[in-house]
Amino acid sequence: MDIKQTIRRQNLEDIEQQAHKIAGMMDRIRSAMLAPTAVKTAPTLKAVQMADLCGVDKSKIAYRLTRGDLPAGEIHGNSREWTMAQAQQWARELRAEHLRPSGAAGITITVANFKGGVAKTTSAVTLAQGLSMRGHRVLLVDLDPQGSATTLFGVLPDAEVETEHTAMSLFTGEQENLKYAIRPTYWPSIDLVCAAPLLYGAEFHLPARQARDPGFEFWRVLDRGLDLPREDYDVIVVDTPPSLSYVTINALMAADGVIMPLPPSALDFASSAQFWDLFSDLCNQLVRSRGKDKSFEFIDVLLSRVEASDTASSVVRQWVLEGYGDKVLPIEIPKTAVAATASAEFGTVYDLPRGSVNSKTFSRARVAYDRMCELIEQQIEAVWARQVAERQILETAV
C-alpha cells in the first residue's frame, strides 16, 4: 500500500478525539492491571526475604517469632508471609542502628537528568520503596508534569490529580509549605505529592513572581516548602522533569543529595555534560552572584539501563568512570525484561511477586536495585552521623 494514499490532514478536532481515545484506553488498561478494585497493593514477604531485608539469618526470624513481640504474619500453605507494613516493623526493630537518630534531619534526594528515557523515574520510585522496606519513612515528590511516578503509585495524573494534590500551589505562592499536598499511597511508609500536566504552569508562575519582586528567590521555593515535611520524613525523594527547568532548579537547590541515572551511551553521556554545564552556570548566576553558596552532601552517578552484551557501551562506561570518578556508584542497573514487565504493569521490580518472571533475570535486577538502595542508605547514614556530631559539638560549646 502506498503510504501517500493513507495520509490525511489532522485538525484540532481530530487531536481532541485522539486525546479522549487514549485517555479511555488508559482507564481500561489500569482497571485491568489493578483489577478488581483498581487499587494497588504492596507485595508480601516470606521468611527468607525478611531475613535478607533485616540483614539476619533465617534462624533469627524464627527465634524472634517465639518472643511474640513482632508481627507473626500469616501461614499460607507451607510458608509464613508478612505484609509490607509488618515487614517494615521487623526492619525498624532489627535494623534500628540504620535509622534516623535523634537530632538528625530528614534528607532530601533529587533524581535528575537533562534527558528522558534514562530510568530516572524508575530509579526514584525504587529508591523510595527500597528505603521504606528498610524501615525509613519516605515522601516522594513528583515534579514531572508527565506524572510517571504518580502513575507508578496507581494514580492517573489526568483523571485523579487536582491542583491541591501537587506542588503547584506552592509554586504560585498560595501555599508556603508542601504538607497540604501529601497523600498516602498503597505502599506503607511512602507518602506522595502527585504531579499532573498542570505543573507545566509553574514554568510561567515562578519567573512572573521573580519579575514582580526582585528580592524573590524562585529557586528556594521548594526548599522552604519542604522545611516542615523534613520533620516528618527520614528521606524525601524528588523526581524531576527531563529538562533543566525552573522546577528542576528548585528540586536541585532543595537537595542534600543528587542522583543522576546515566545509561552508558554516547548521546546520554553528552547530554549529562550539558546538564552540569548549564547547572553550574545557573548556580553562579543565582547563588554566587548574591554572595551565597550551595553544597551537596553527595552527588551520585548511577549507571542505568546497562546491556552487558553491548560492546559499544563498555567504551562509554569508561568515559563515565573517567569523567565522574568517585561519583559513580559501584553498581550497574541492568536493562532486563523484568524492568519492562514491571513497567507494563505500572510498577517496579519491587512490585513484582517472586516467581512471576524468570527467576535468574529477576534476581539480577532485584540484587542491583537492592545494592543501589544499600549504597545510598550508607551515604544517608553518614550525613546523619555528621549532623549529630556537629550538634553535640555545638551543645558542648554552649
Side-chain angles (χ1 to χ4, degrees), residues 140-357:
L140 192 141
V141 180
D142 189 359
L143 293 183
D144 186 350
Q146 297 179 66
S148 297
T150 298
T151 303
L152 286 178
F153 278 95
V155 181
L156 286 180
D158 291 318
E160 300 174 344
V161 177
E162 304 294 337
T163 302
E164 62 268 22
H165 304 141
T166 74
M168 190 63 185
S169 296
L170 179 70
F171 290 134
T172 61
E174 297 171 51
Q175 298 282 350
E176 293 185 354
N177 79 78
L178 203 51
K179 292 188 77 170
Y180 72 90
I182 296 172
R183 62 193 285 176
T185 71
Y186 76 98
W187 191 284
S189 295
I190 299 181
D191 289 341
L192 174 69
V193 173
C194 296
L198 60 87
L199 264 179
Y200 282 116
E203 299 307 311
F204 302 96
H205 284 284
L206 287 169
R209 292 178 67 187
Q210 187 72 55
R212 289 194 303 267
D213 179 7
F216 173 69
E217 296 177 332
F218 78 83
W219 57 93
R220 294 288 310 280
V221 174
L222 181 64
D223 189 21
R224 289 170 176 151
L226 288 175
D227 281 344
L228 289 179
R230 285 187 180 105
E231 298 174 5
D232 300 327
Y233 297 92
D234 303 313
V235 183
I236 299 172
V237 179
V238 184
D239 189 30
T240 59
S243 62
L244 198 55
S245 62
Y246 284 94
V247 167
T248 305
I249 293 167
N250 262 275
L252 290 166
M253 289 298 182
D256 299 299
V258 175
I259 299 173
M260 172 185 274
L262 180 58
S265 80
L267 287 177
D268 287 305
F269 182 74
S271 178
S272 75
Q274 293 174 348
F275 180 92
W276 291 113
D277 188 41
L278 286 172
F279 184 52
S280 175
D281 287 345
L282 282 168
C283 284
N284 284 325
Q285 294 173 26
L286 301 176
V287 180
R288 286 184 176 175
S289 64
R290 288 168 170 78
K292 300 178 182 178
D293 200 3
K294 166 66 182 175
S295 61
F296 298 97
E297 299 288 354
F298 55 87
I299 294 176
D300 294 331
V301 174
L302 174 67
L303 283 167
S304 61
R305 298 176 60 82
V306 178
E307 293 188 72
S309 60
D310 185 0
T311 55
S313 69
S314 62
V315 176
V316 183
R317 189 186 291 108
Q318 290 304 312
W319 297 352
V320 173
L321 292 170
E322 181 180 346
Y324 290 104
D326 58 6
K327 291 183 177 66
V328 182
L329 288 174
I331 184 63
E332 296 179 358
I333 305 298
K335 182 179 181 180
T336 64
V338 169
T341 301
S343 179
E345 297 184 1
F346 296 140
T348 71
V349 67
Y350 287 131
D351 285 298
L352 291 176
R354 291 179 186 268
S356 62
V357 291

Side-chain angles (χ1 to χ4, degrees), residues 58-78:
K58 188 178 175 182
S59 59
K60 179 69 176 287
I61 302 295
Y63 165 72
R64 286 304 297 258
L65 279 171
T66 64
R67 292 176 51 175
D69 59 343
L70 287 169
E74 293 185 3
I75 301 294
H76 294 277
N78 295 323

Side-chain angles (χ1 to χ4, degrees), residues 376-390:
I376 293 170
E377 184 188 45
Q378 289 172 1
Q379 294 175 100
I380 292 169
E381 289 182 57
V383 176
W384 283 336
R386 185 160 60 251
Q387 288 177 350
V388 171
E390 290 173 353

Side-chain angles (χ1 to χ4, degrees), residues 53 125-136 138 187 190 350 369-370 373 377:
L53 177 64
V125 175
T126 51
L127 176 62
Q129 291 173 326
L131 291 176
S132 76
M133 284 193 290
R134 287 160 170 76
H136 304 290
V138 181
W187 191 284
I190 299 181
Y350 287 131
Y369 279 113
D370 284 347
C373 293
E377 184 188 45

